[in-house]
Amino acid sequence: SQTIHQWPATLVQPVGSPLSLECTVEGTSNPNLYWYRQAAGRGLQLLFYSVGIGQISSEVPQNLSASRPQDRQFILSSKKLLLSDSGFYLCAEGGEINTGELFFGEGSRLTVL
Amino acid sequence: AQSVAQPEDQVKVAEGNPLTVKCTYSVSGNPYLFWYVQYPNRGLQFLLKYITGDNLVKGSYGFEAEFNKSQTSFHLKKPSALVSDSALYFCADYSGGYQKVTFGTGTKLQVIP
């Protein structure tokens, strides 16, 4: 079964600083990968998804970007953080093909001060 | 467009009592519906899914959900609540494609000892 690693688990960054959150997946190949943001401990917002190396689709315009340099690696970045970027970031992998079932990592909590 | 709605922001139930967390959906065609659970500061965990077949779906930790087409509902149930069931519960639907998993706003379940 697949395992999804996210780091760092927690991060406190000043406004205007860069960001890099990493997600790696074990136990599966050619996964569909997703970045979600959860604000205020409630609803989930899909930020990016990737179906393969170098293939990134953005769901909402924002201050963030994503990259997929390797099959099992998905990175969320920002050049200059905003206060509104604070939140709980979740990486997910699409399990069975075309069923919609997702497997989530443990999340990275970002606080921008 | 498909979507799910969770009408209750919070549900409180006494330990040992049955619990229900509500979800309604709006969709054309046959929906793929899911329930996920999130414990504090953790990623989401898959509980159960409905794709086709029996309207009563059994999942992890003793949870089950009933798909009701006439009422467009997919309520999560458990016969006897445990304090450890206290968490945030998300209903979700999948409309096909790589990214089309839509989550409800979440319902906070509190089981009182």
Side-chain angles (χ1 to χ4, degrees):
Chain A
S1 63
Q2 59 274 78
T3 304
I4 302 171
H5 300 284
Q6 286 188 245
W7 68 89
T10 57
L11 193 60
V12 181
Q13 291 286 96
V15 169
S17 64
L19 171 74
S20 181
L21 299 179
E22 190 162 342
C23 169
T24 58
V25 181
E26 294 179 358
T28 187
S29 59
N30 196 30
N32 295 328
L33 297 175
Y34 306 83
W35 277 112
Y36 285 87
R37 177 169 58 200
Q38 185 178 31
R42 297 310 290 258
L44 289 145
Q45 180 186 33
L46 178 62
L47 302 175
F48 301 95
Y49 72 96
S50 172
V51 301
I53 296 173
Q55 301 180 62
I56 308 294
S57 295
S58 174
E59 283 295 294
V60 292
Q62 59 213 315
N63 186 43
L64 302 169
S65 62
S67 62
R68 185 155 173 191
Q70 300 180 43
D71 182 47
R72 301 177 191 178
Q73 186 183 31
F74 202 25
I75 298 172
L76 184 69
S77 304
S78 174
K79 292 182 179 178
K80 288 186 178 181
L81 284 168
L82 306 172
L83 286 174
S84 57
D85 292 324
S86 294
F88 193 47
Y89 289 83
L90 290 160
C91 180
E93 185 259 331
E96 301 174 38
I97 295 173
N98 293 332
T99 67
E101 183 176 339
L102 297 175
F103 296 90
F104 285 83
E106 291 300 300
S108 294
R109 183 166 299 284
L110 171 65
T111 302
V112 183
L113 300 175
Chain B
Q2 299 193 189
S3 67
V4 290
Q6 295 182 245
E8 301 160 316
D9 206 46
Q10 183 168 334
V11 170
K12 291 184 181 180
V13 64
E15 186 177 24
N17 283 3
L19 70 86
T20 299
V21 183
K22 296 179 181 178
C23 173
T24 59
Y25 67 91
S26 58
V27 64
S28 57
N30 297 318
Y32 288 12
L33 298 168
F34 303 81
W35 277 102
Y36 289 84
V37 60
Q38 185 182 31
Y39 298 100
N41 296 310
R42 304 292 297 276
L44 278 70
Q45 297 178 36
F46 168 80
L47 277 179
L48 51 81
K49 66 183 176 186
Y50 172 82
I51 298 178
T52 60
D54 289 340
N55 289 340
L56 186 64
V57 179
K58 293 189 182 296
S60 306
Y61 312 122
F63 283 93
E64 58 188 28
E66 185 173 9
F67 174 71
N68 187 317
K69 192 170 184 177
S70 63
Q71 297 184 6
T72 61
S73 67
F74 188 57
H75 299 334
L76 181 70
K77 299 181 180 183
K78 187 172 183 180
S80 178
L82 301 172
V83 173
S84 57
D85 292 328
S86 299
L88 189 57
Y89 289 82
F90 289 95
C91 182
D93 84 302
Y94 171 70
S95 60
Y98 294 108
Q99 81 282 15
K100 300 296 185 183
V101 176
T102 304
F103 288 87
T105 52
T107 298
K108 183 177 180 180
L109 172 68
Q110 185 179 358
V111 180
I112 303 166

